[in-house]
Amino acid sequence: IHAADDDSLSFQEQTLLQGSDGKTLVFALGGPLFFGMAKAISRQQAVLPDHSVLIIDFTEVPTVGVSSSLAIEKIILDDIALGRDVYIVGASTRVMERLAKLDILKVVHEDHVMETRKDALEYAAIATRHVDIDPKETLSTEQGTKDNTSQS
């Protein structure tokens, strides 16, 4: 459990994270999260740096126990109550089922549940700049431009 550092991020992810001017925090979780991890998660929450966007990365998490789920839920609810954007990324079907059972997915906007950390970092970079652009629109516009160019 750690705030992702430059060593754990790809070059593209580092660039996106730097583009948020320190306002985005990537909370990377790893391994099965059972009872003993709940205390570590809670301790980590107490020392999280100030941020506007929280990305919780479950990519390396095969399963989450109830106690750990409750600790993660507290982090999410606290951040949402403070008006912060929260993204859930890389969650397996098992992890998503656990989060759904605890109604965590009811408080995280469905557009904020993503497959990759890079996707969430793209949205976070836009959110922290207060720019009103949808990355999906930008991508489809760019693809449309490429398609039109190739047809000429």
Side-chain angles (χ1 to χ4, degrees), residues 45-93:
Q45 179 189 17
V47 297
L48 291 178
D50 189 31
H51 56 281
S52 299
V53 176
L54 175 64
I55 298 172
I56 302 178
D57 184 359
F58 288 95
T59 303
E60 302 295 323
V61 178
T63 188
V64 180
V66 175
S67 298
S68 293
S69 298
L70 293 172
I72 293 165
E73 177 186 40
K74 181 174 179 356
I75 292 171
I76 291 170
L77 293 176
D78 288 353
D79 270 25
I80 289 173
L82 291 170
R84 296 173 175 157
D85 288 334
V86 176
Y87 294 86
I88 294 174
V89 301
S92 68
T93 302

Side-chain angles (χ1 to χ4, degrees), residues 106-139:
K106 289 184 179 179
V107 296
V108 174
H109 194 278
E110 68 183 44
D111 288 346
H112 289 194
V113 178
M114 303 184 165
E115 296 217 8
T116 70
R117 189 168 49 200
K118 180 184 151 295
D119 292 340
L121 283 165
E122 287 173 350
Y123 274 83
I126 291 168
T128 56
R129 290 185 187 138
H130 303 291
V131 177
D132 194 20
I133 299 173
D134 182 354
K136 291 178 186 171
E137 267 184 31
T138 304
L139 181 61

Side-chain angles (χ1 to χ4, degrees), residues 3 9 20 31 50 74 96-97 99 103 121-123 137 141 144:
L9 300 174
S20 72
D50 189 31
K74 181 174 179 356
M96 289 298 286
E97 287 170 355
L99 298 176
D103 291 334
L121 283 165
E122 287 173 350
Y123 274 83
E137 267 184 31
T141 303

